[in-house]
Amino acid sequence: MVGMEQPTSEEALHRGRALVLADLAADGVAGPAEVSMLEKAVSHRRWWCDQWPAGAVFVTGLLAQDIQDELLERHGRWPLCPLCVELEPHALDVEPELGEHPHWVCGVTGRPVAAVGSLAGARQ
């Protein structure tokens, strides 16, 4: 984007944290354990951003994937796809895997569901 400055690593981390937390809250899984997982992921990605400052624009999608991985190990798939209610429950994917403007996509149909941070609107 011409004329737009790249966010600092801290700005990107705070924005990514807020967006992922909004999605956790949309699904009612923003309890203390999940918030602690998110804080751990933010801490890890802070180090990552320090090593690659230009990668700060990718941090939201990476945080979403980090939380998905942690929740899968501890609680099961998250977030579940709201489009394929007739199929076996499956998690949404983050696309692009490493890119700007990450969004949740149904891995079965390839249909976009919501931008990361906007799951509440897709759940209505």
Side-chain angles (χ1 to χ4, degrees), residues 14-102:
H14 288 290
R15 177 172 166 64
R17 179 192 180 282
L19 292 171
V20 173
L21 185 57
D23 285 347
L24 288 166
D27 281 349
V29 290
E34 293 81 12
V35 172
S36 291
M37 286 181 221
L38 181 55
E39 293 303 327
K40 181 180 171 188
V42 168
S43 178
H44 172 75
R45 292 300 171 182
R46 181 172 285 115
W47 176 88
W48 184 84
C49 285
D50 288 345
Q51 304 305 303
W52 186 37
V57 295
F58 308 136
V59 80
T60 297
L62 292 170
L63 287 171
Q65 291 173 46
D66 292 344
I67 293 304
Q68 272 193 307
D69 292 345
E70 283 291 319
L71 286 174
L72 180 60
E73 289 179 19
R74 297 173 191 242
H75 299 291
R77 293 177 222 138
W78 176 84
L80 293 178
C81 180
L83 303 177
C84 300
V85 292
E86 68 282 352
L87 299 178
E88 183 172 328
H90 56 276
L92 296 172
D93 298 326
V94 176
E95 289 188 7
E97 286 188 28
L98 185 63
E100 295 182 57
H101 313 294

